[in-house]
Amino acid sequence: MAQFPAPSTFPVKLIAIDIDGTLLPSTGTIMSERNLRALRQAESAGIEIVIATGRRQAYALPLLEQIGLKPETVLITSNGTVTRTFAGERIERALLPVETARELCGALRQFGGTTVFTFDHDGPGELVIESMEQLHARIALWVDANRPFLREIRPLERAFDAGESPVQGMICGTVEEMDRAETWLRQSPFAEKIEMHQTQYPARNLSILDILPPGCSKGVALGRVAARRGLRRDETMAIGDNYNDLEMLKYAGHPVLMGNAAAELLASAREWSWRIAPTNDEDGVAQVVEDVLCRMDCNAGVVE
């Protein structure tokens, strides 16, 4: 078991955990038995497990069924835009105004024609795109996995003719392209109308830039969950690996960055004295959770 520096206060009462690059291994969608066992043990010990992902609910839940957590487990999706329980009970949702989404359609075409808008309902049309061909050329596996939910509309602006607001927009491309897109948007009139979070995969030279309603992030959503529970920040832990996890890690009193994170993130984590876990392929989540459980047992022994 990995050993970590002792935090200033304990116990941890809530652990928020990312999925991709954190709970999942680098290849495949099957979580390790050690990770599964650790999460079940934490829940049994009274620690609340919260899953926080950039995925939307329909794309996340099938992966999470293997854990076997209780139906009332909180699931933060779309990088903090929607919060529901595993059972589907909606807790919170933010929407991108129709006017903003429509204006983004034209503005984002310069970045490769890969724009996707996500609507908060199930079935065909949950994901709206302008060009299946262009999107497939960038993220073929994602397109193939989501074909039942995709609807192609040209021009994309017509997706908003009925007045329905999306929960998020997304574009994708190389890391350099998405850095350029984010910079352009921050310097544009859109800057005050949206929130942006990147998820980067340097080994594949792929980055996804999510465009959310203002003020949305995993960190804000986690803070609201903790507030509803009456928990202090130093009673929360967050585990993640990517740039879209930063706000969540910064919120938590016990931030843990995965060892497979980008070099820039690892350097920042060291500078900020965050814990660095083993990698996702080394059951880093399990090792962190086991450490928390071990400290709980030790503290209980002292009290007794």
Side-chain angles (χ1 to χ4, degrees), residues 114-128:
T114 61
T115 305
V116 180
F117 283 102
T118 301
F119 294 90
D120 190 31
H121 56 71
D122 295 329
E126 182 179 357
L127 301 168
V128 175

Side-chain angles (χ1 to χ4, degrees), residues 112-116 129-144 147 150-154 172:
T114 61
T115 305
V116 180
I129 63 176
E130 191 164 52
S131 172
M132 187 82 72
E133 181 180 355
Q134 286 178 283
L135 192 63
H136 193 274
R138 296 283 192 173
I139 45 173
L141 292 177
W142 184 90
V143 170
D144 292 340
R147 281 186 186 276
L150 287 166
R151 177 172 293 159
E152 195 174 47
I153 297 179
R154 298 182 184 178
C172 61

Side-chain angles (χ1 to χ4, degrees), residues 7 17 31 34 51 103 105 118 123 135 219 238 271 281 302:
I17 309 171
M31 298 176 195
R34 187 176 180 183
I51 303 298
E103 290 170 1
C105 293
T118 301
L135 192 63
E271 179 183 347
D281 293 323
V302 170

